[in-house]
């Protein structure tokens, strides 16, 4: 009885998302597409997908772009699609690279909010998608637009300075314009006697010029305007800088959610296995990948014409 009283005192009803309630004001995106790109490393993929289904707590569609994995990933994804009705699998005949998978995603993905996780990410925070949607809502209330790409905090990358937040801005969601559940954005105690402020929340965004690409989101209409067809880096990994530059070209603000959900990047710093894979793929594509060679030839020509 004493334990039950303690639970009741914590008011858990304030922190649950009810899918049967009328659409809350903060749900300005109603159709969320979550994507990941896989190439082997099955245990990483399982960890990410398990965390998605345990931590999301609201509807989404999962798009998995598999780069011809041969370690059991294809079989795992087939079983996942059999038991989950919100999974779409796109399988390529060879490893074409993350950037080219994104190029396919521009035509394959449906919805209004694009969210991407590298397959070695694990989501740590419950109701992370509620937090993400409320962050967009707070930005909209503060600026009148949703022209922003938001990144989630990756704990073990912060140790290496991988956030680059230059300015911290607080955006308020007044109680009168908010709806349950309460989140980590709450600016009053749930025990407060001032009930009119019970859902008063403030989202803290760290504005930046560089967004890490392991866990990020952007309105799908802007994702479709990123020039992935022009992106063919000499390195096989590392599209973060390109995404950041494209967002700047499109007039999109970049920001990290400072007081919101957390995730963990399991292969960071990169393992020897991943570095060896990048080195091998780089060599293979330099001699066998026609789109890469065409990009390289155009790049050399541009450099020569600038002289």
């Amino acid at each position: 009885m004493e334990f039950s009283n303690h639970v009741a005192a914590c008011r858990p009803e304030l922190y649950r998302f009810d899918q049967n309630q009328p659409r809350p004001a903060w749900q300005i995106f109603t159709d969320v597409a979550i994507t990941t790109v896989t190439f082997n490393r099955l245990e990483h993929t399982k960890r990410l997908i398990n965390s998605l289904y345990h931590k999301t707590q609201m509807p989404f569609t999962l798009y998995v772009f598999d780069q011809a994995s041969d370690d059991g990933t294809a079989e795992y994804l087939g079983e996942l699609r059999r038991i989950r009705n919100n999974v779409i699998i796109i399988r390529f005949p060879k490893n074409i690279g993350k950037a080219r998978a994104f190029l396919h995603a521009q035509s394959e993905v449906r919805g209004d909010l694009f969210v991407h996780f590298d397959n070695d990410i694990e989501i740590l925070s419950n109701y992370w998608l509620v937090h993400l949607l409320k962050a967009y809502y707070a930005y909209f209330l503060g600026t009148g637009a949703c022209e922003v790409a938001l990144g989630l905090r990756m704990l073990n990358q912060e140790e290496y300075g991988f956030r680059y937040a230059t300015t911290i801005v607080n955006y308020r969601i007044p109680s009168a314009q908010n709806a349950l559940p309460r989140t980590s954005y709450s600016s009053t105690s749930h025990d407060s006697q001032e009930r009119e402020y019970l859902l008063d929340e403030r989202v803290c965004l760290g504005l930046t010029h560089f967004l890490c690409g392991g866990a990020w989101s952007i309105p799908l209409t802007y994702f479709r305007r990123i020039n992935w067809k022009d992106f063919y880096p000499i390195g096989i990994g590392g599209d973060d800088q390109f995404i950041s530059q494209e967002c700047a070209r499109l007039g999109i603000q970049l920001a990290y959610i400072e007081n919101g959900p957390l995730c963990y990047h399991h292969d960071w710093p990169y393992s020897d296995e991943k570095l060896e894979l990048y080195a091998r793929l780089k060599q293979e594509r330099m001699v066998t990948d026609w789109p890469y060679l065409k990009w390289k030839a155009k790049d050399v020509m541009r450099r020569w014409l600038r002289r």
Side-chain angles (χ1 to χ4, degrees):
M1 185 67 178
E2 186 176 332
F3 177 75
S4 298
N5 289 338
H6 176 72
V7 171
C10 292
R11 307 188 68 191
E13 70 277 4
L14 297 178
Y15 302 93
R16 296 193 187 105
F17 174 69
D18 181 1
Q19 296 191 30
N20 297 316
Q21 69 180 340
R23 177 181 167 184
W26 49 261
Q27 197 174 358
I28 55 178
F29 297 110
T30 58
D31 192 356
V32 177
I34 300 174
T35 69
T36 191
V37 179
T38 57
F39 176 64
N40 291 334
R41 297 153 61 87
L42 175 57
E43 290 308 311
H44 284 306
T45 300
K46 285 182 176 179
R47 189 183 289 116
L48 166 65
I49 291 176
N50 286 340
S51 69
L52 271 172
Y53 281 103
H54 281 98
K55 302 292 188 182
T56 306
Q57 312 291 357
M58 61 181 303
F60 65 92
T61 302
L62 174 62
Y63 294 80
V64 183
F65 295 86
D66 182 57
Q67 313 256 28
S69 296
D70 58 8
D71 67 339
T73 294
E75 292 76 11
Y76 165 74
L77 294 176
E79 178 63 13
L80 180 70
R81 182 168 52 187
R82 188 184 70 81
I83 62 176
R84 299 283 187 181
N85 61 9
N86 66 333
V87 179
I88 296 173
I89 311 296
I90 296 92
R91 184 166 169 83
F92 300 116
K94 66 176 183 177
N95 189 325
I96 63 173
K98 182 178 173 183
R100 285 174 68 189
F102 276 156
L103 181 60
H104 283 269
Q106 287 182 317
S107 58
E108 296 282 351
V109 170
R110 298 291 180 268
D112 47 19
L113 182 65
F114 175 92
V115 183
H116 176 77
F117 292 104
D118 283 353
N119 79 314
D120 52 4
I121 298 294
E122 180 179 6
I123 302 164
L124 303 180
S125 299
N126 205 20
Y127 287 108
W128 69 272
L129 186 51
V130 172
H131 281 78
L132 180 62
L133 293 175
K134 283 198 174 189
Y136 275 101
Y137 180 54
Y139 188 86
F140 174 77
L141 292 179
T143 67
C146 274
E147 297 173 346
V148 61
L150 296 178
L152 275 60
R153 290 177 57 189
M154 289 183 281
L155 287 180
N156 56 320
Q157 285 202 328
E158 294 181 4
E159 301 167 359
Y160 297 84
F162 271 77
R163 281 198 293 125
Y164 310 111
T166 55
T167 304
I168 306 299
V169 180
N170 279 285
Y171 291 101
R172 183 185 174 211
I173 307 178
S175 285
Q177 296 175 271
N178 205 356
L180 292 174
R182 275 172 60 95
T183 69
S184 65
Y185 304 140
S186 297
S187 54
T188 60
S189 168
H190 66 210
D191 295 322
S192 174
Q193 299 303 308
E194 300 179 289
R195 297 302 187 190
E196 67 271 26
Y197 298 113
L198 191 63
L199 292 180
D200 201 65
E201 297 186 323
R202 292 183 182 273
V203 179
C204 183
L205 297 184
L207 306 185
T208 182
H209 300 295
F210 181 90
L211 203 61
C212 290
W216 67 288
S217 63
I218 190 172
L220 186 60
T221 182
Y222 292 112
F223 175 77
R224 289 196 173 118
R225 293 169 59 189
I226 295 177
N227 287 327
W228 290 111
K229 65 181 183 302
D230 295 333
F231 176 62
Y232 242 84
I234 294 175
I236 297 304
D239 51 30
D240 307 39
Q241 188 64 47
F242 177 77
I243 293 170
S244 300
Q245 290 172 348
E246 279 293 283
C247 285
R249 180 183 67 82
L250 295 171
I252 306 299
Q253 176 67 64
L254 304 177
Y256 293 100
I257 306 173
E258 300 288 343
N259 59 337
L262 304 172
C263 53
Y264 193 89
H265 190 175
H266 278 278
D267 197 1
W268 180 262
Y270 289 148
S271 62
D272 290 342
E273 174 196 4
K274 192 166 188 175
L275 293 174
E276 289 168 4
L277 172 65
Y278 280 173
R280 176 168 58 82
L281 290 176
K282 177 180 175 181
Q283 180 61 31
E284 288 177 3
R285 290 177 187 173
M286 287 177 70
V287 296
T288 64
D289 196 315
W290 168 242
Y292 176 89
L293 295 174
K294 184 168 66 172
W295 171 87
K296 185 63 178 175
K298 289 171 65 176
D299 183 62
V300 170
M301 181 63 70
R302 282 195 297 265
R303 292 172 184 271
W304 184 80
L305 292 174
R306 288 197 195 107
R307 293 181 176 180

